[in-house]
Amino acid sequence: MFCRLPFSYETIIKFLLIIVLGVLLLNIYILSILFGSEKVKTRPKFLKQNDEVYIKAEPFKQSKGIHNVNQSPKKAVFVQINTTDLATKKILEKVAVLERQNFGQFFPAKIKRYHQAVLHDVKVTEPFSTELLKDSFKWTSGRQLFPEPMIPPLGRLLNSLCSSKVEKADNMAQGTQLKLLLTLEGGLKAVFKPQWYKRTEVIAGSVYAGKDRHNGEVAAFHLSWLLGLRRAPLTVGRRIDLRQEVMPVATNELLKTFDQEDNNTCFYGVCHYCGPHDPVCASGQVLEGSLILWLPEEFPLKKFRHPWQRTYKPNIPARWELDAGYCQVVRKSEMYSTGPRLLDIIDTAVFDFLIGNGDRHHYEVFQNINDSAVLFIDNGKSFGNPYVDHIDILAPLYQCCRLRSTTWTRLLWLQMKTISEPLREVLEWSHIAPVLSDAHLTALDRRLLVTIAAVHLCFTERNGQHNVIVND
């Protein structure tokens, strides 16, 4: 005879499950002790389910270079949130607050006089003068490429650059983009970037997608002037007759890349990606482009990798995109711990965000000048998509939370009148007007407010404006 159990089979199963669960929890506890130095970070409450996070093997360690990312899987896995995404969320929240505020009339008289001076400078046009262009190099110093106010007015210089005769045309093989190196009257050299896109064409994709935008170079030069960051070389929009001005003085290497497609003169030049499969074609024989006055040999440049450089690899973030304390890592470098270089990088970030340039992988300074400013050279990857704001370009600003008082004041000036209005007025005098579409001008106003919101976020996180704005 069998004895009847005092409890059911369901009770036995529940009891066994409890034992298994207990063993499992005990194992987890033991593992947590063994790997206690590696804390598991959970998703913050304010992150939604679709927010992007990155799984890495271990937290960042100090590395030899500020560009390095430790990716060796050795210890317990933890989750590190994309800090640029979090900063973007906070900045956009601050934008919503600022949109409801009135900035007031901080400097009504000063800004009016400034805009009048700007328009006066570009309106003054006189016949071509090589000497004017040569004299412009006398203004060059370690901190600027041209003075404020302009003497002579800027319009004279731009008109001279746009009217100068081309004495020699050659390939400029450096880089990935098609460019011509033109020698102008008096031996002056200038870089010619051809037109690839119509004004209204939207460059979709990554922040560095597409070819250089010649009109972006022109607009970027004038914007740097309006911002008081006079570090971009003189740039004009110019239409060149390829058969009359270029081909008769072209080198043999350049000349052999010319061809005729229907009634249009085309060429492909020499560069990393240049070839017969991808020529640039004139409208007939006239090609529009930007002409950038090159600095003479007595001003040699030195190139550095940008500390906030992208990886240019899909789905592989750079360290600065993940590490909220990345600015402190940068400041451990002697180059950025003293002197004006870090503030220059932050100024450059503001400038690049406004123009939509996320391709500043390197930067140049004057080689033989101590504390040389970071120069705004090569702004072709700007004004590509007016409907997308890549706020991560501002990472040096919102991670370091430092900004020059002069830059901050100029941003406030331009916010009062909207930055697009004075730029539109100035660009109307360009030889290739209209330079920008209305959509790009609207984007400038929007991005200026985003920039100001990023600074206000720093005020909040650093306990006041006095801990952010630097008198330098």
Side-chain angles (χ1 to χ4, degrees), residues 37-234:
S37 60
E38 302 293 342
K39 295 182 180 180
V40 178
K41 298 183 179 179
T42 57
R43 183 186 300 270
K45 293 181 180 179
F46 52 83
L47 272 183
K48 298 178 181 178
Q49 186 64 30
N50 60 354
D51 284 324
E52 188 172 10
V53 297
Y54 293 94
I55 309 297
K56 298 194 67 62
E58 57 180 337
F60 290 118
K61 295 181 178 179
Q62 289 188 8
S63 53
K64 294 181 180 179
I66 59 177
H67 302 279
N68 297 333
V69 176
N70 189 337
Q71 299 189 31
S72 56
K74 295 179 181 179
K75 298 186 179 180
V77 171
F78 78 107
V79 177
Q80 181 145 2
I81 301 155
N82 186 332
T83 58
T84 56
D85 284 354
L86 297 184
T88 296
K89 294 176 186 295
K90 293 180 181 179
I91 291 170
L92 292 178
E93 289 172 358
K94 187 67 71 171
V95 167
V97 174
L98 293 179
E99 284 178 333
R100 298 190 293 269
Q101 295 182 2
N102 184 356
F103 280 83
Q105 299 295 311
F106 293 105
F107 315 98
K110 285 185 178 180
I111 193 170
K112 184 177 181 180
R113 289 196 301 270
Y114 176 69
H115 288 161
Q116 289 174 344
V118 166
L119 283 174
H120 175 267
D121 272 2
V122 295
K123 287 179 180 180
V124 178
T125 57
E126 291 185 359
F128 164 74
S129 171
T130 302
E131 296 306 314
L132 275 179
L133 291 175
K134 288 184 177 180
D135 287 344
S136 70
F137 295 133
K138 297 178 181 178
W139 306 330
T140 302
S141 69
R143 303 303 304 168
Q144 65 179 23
L145 296 183
F146 50 92
E148 184 182 32
M150 299 288 287
I151 301 175
L154 181 64
R156 296 181 186 177
L157 292 168
L158 299 183
N159 187 52
S160 295
L161 185 57
C162 202
S163 306
S164 179
K165 180 182 178 181
V166 179
E167 295 185 338
K168 181 180 178 182
D170 198 358
N171 293 295
M172 191 169 183
Q174 297 178 359
T176 60
Q177 300 285 318
L178 172 59
K179 300 183 286 286
L180 294 182
L181 180 61
L182 304 182
T183 302
L184 309 177
E185 293 179 59
L188 297 171
K189 295 185 183 299
V191 177
F192 181 80
K193 292 189 174 184
Q195 177 179 8
W196 290 99
Y197 306 104
K198 296 179 180 179
R199 299 290 193 272
T200 56
E201 189 164 352
V202 174
I203 312 302
S206 67
V207 67
Y208 45 84
K211 295 182 173 68
D212 282 354
R213 276 74 77 176
H214 75 294
N215 58 317
E217 289 279 8
V218 177
F221 165 73
H222 286 283
L223 183 63
S224 72
W225 185 32
L226 289 171
L227 289 170
L229 302 173
R230 299 177 295 280
R231 306 176 199 163
L234 292 174

Side-chain angles (χ1 to χ4, degrees), residues 134 137 140 187-189 293-301 366:
K134 288 184 177 180
F137 295 133
T140 302
L188 297 171
K189 295 185 183 299
L293 185 63
W294 206 243
L295 297 171
E297 294 181 356
E298 54 264 35
F299 294 101
L301 301 178
F366 289 121

